[in-house]
Amino acid sequence: MTSAAIARRETVDALRTVRELWGELLLAIETPPTDVWPPRQLAHTLRASDDEPLVVEDRAPLVLREHPAPLNMTALDTGLAVERLLFDLADTLAAAVQRAGTGDARRWEFQQPGAADARRAAGSRTHGLHFGSVWIEGRVLDEDTAPEQQLNGTPTAPPFDPLPPHLLHEARRTARVAEGRLLRTLGLDERHTPVPDRPCPWCAGELILHTGPDESPSVTCSTGEDCTAPASLDERGRRVWKWGDLVTLITALGAADTHVPAA
Ligand SMILES: [Zn+2]
C-alpha cells in the first residue's frame, strides 16, 4: 500500500471512531465522572435495561448548545475541543479543494461571524460533528472529484479537487488527535486497571479491568486457573469475563457487595 493509501485508511478509521464514540461522550457530559467500576459502557447497558430510555441527540453541535449544568467538565472540554479540531480542519480542506459554486448541498459553508441568525453564522458547523466528520471523510477519499454530467448531458466541473498530500497528512494528524482525546476521556484507551474494593467473588483475588480502543472491556482474575469462577481461561491462564459475561460478574459482585463494606 502506498503511504497515501495508508494515511487515507488511518484517517477514515479515526474519523469513524470519533463518530461512534460521540454519543458516548454526550452521555458522559451529563453523567458524573465514573469510578473504575463498573466500566462505563456496561453502566450504560445496565441503565438502558433499567427502563430508562437511552436517548442520544447528537445532531446539534456542542458549541451552539446550552450546558446549564454539565456534570463532567472534562468530557465537555473534550467535546468542544474535538468539535473545534474537526470543524477547523473542514474549513482548511474546504478552502483548499472546494470549488466556487453555490447551491450544492455537498459544499462546506464557512462561518459568517457577522450574520444575524445563529445558524447562518455557524455555517455547516450547525449540522454538528457527525456531519463535519463525514464531510472530511469524503474529502480524504477524494469523493466527488470527477467531472459530472448535468441532466442535458453537459459535463460540469466537480465540486471538489482531490486532496493534496500535505492536507491528507494534516487530516490524518488532526483526526488521530481527536480520536485519542475522546478515547482517553472515555477511559477507552488501552488500560489495565485494578478494580478497587471488589475482590473476585469466587477466590478473593484481584480483578483487573482491561479496556482498549478496539475491544470491548473485559475483566480478569489475577489468581489464575486456581480461581473457581465459572469463566473460561485466557491465553495467560487467567479467568476472564468477556463483554458478554460481564453481567454475570456484576451480579456476583452485587451479591458479594452486601458483605464487603466499601473502603
Ligand atoms: Zn478469582
Side-chain angles (χ1 to χ4, degrees), residues 199-207 221-224 226-229 239 241:
C200 172
W202 288 274
C203 74
E206 186 176 51
L207 296 176
C221 171
S222 306
T223 300
D226 290 341
C227 172
T228 56
R239 298 287 170 198
W241 292 267

Side-chain angles (χ1 to χ4, degrees), residues 116-235:
D117 80 278
R119 292 182 75 84
R120 173 163 293 181
S124 289
R125 297 176 186 225
T126 195
H127 301 309
L129 177 115
H130 198 275
F131 176 89
S133 169
V134 170
W135 189 91
I136 292 166
E137 184 174 320
R139 302 299 68 74
V140 165
L141 295 175
D142 287 342
E143 289 173 359
D144 300 322
T145 56
E148 300 175 350
Q149 288 210 331
Q150 292 177 322
L151 285 177
N152 64 11
T154 317
T156 56
F160 304 107
D161 287 326
L163 207 57
H166 73 280
L167 285 180
L168 172 59
H169 291 283
E170 169 71 14
R172 182 182 81 163
R173 191 191 64 77
T174 303
R176 294 181 76 176
V177 168
E179 177 193 32
R181 189 142 177 200
L182 269 182
L183 288 169
R184 274 194 306 283
T185 297
L186 293 172
L188 296 173
D189 48 341
E190 173 134 11
R191 284 185 208 184
H192 307 281
T193 317
V195 178
D197 304 324
R198 286 182 171 76
C200 172
W202 288 274
C203 74
E206 186 176 51
L207 296 176
I208 311 282
L209 172 64
H210 306 271
T211 58
D214 298 320
E215 54 187 288
S216 301
S218 64
V219 174
T220 54
C221 171
S222 306
T223 300
E225 57 190 279
D226 290 341
C227 172
T228 56
S232 53
L233 296 171
D234 70 3
E235 69 283 357

Side-chain angles (χ1 to χ4, degrees), residues 14-29:
L15 290 169
R16 288 182 182 171
T17 302
V18 167
R19 293 203 292 276
E20 282 166 18
L21 293 177
W22 193 243
E24 195 72 33
L25 183 87
L26 296 181
L27 281 172
I29 291 171

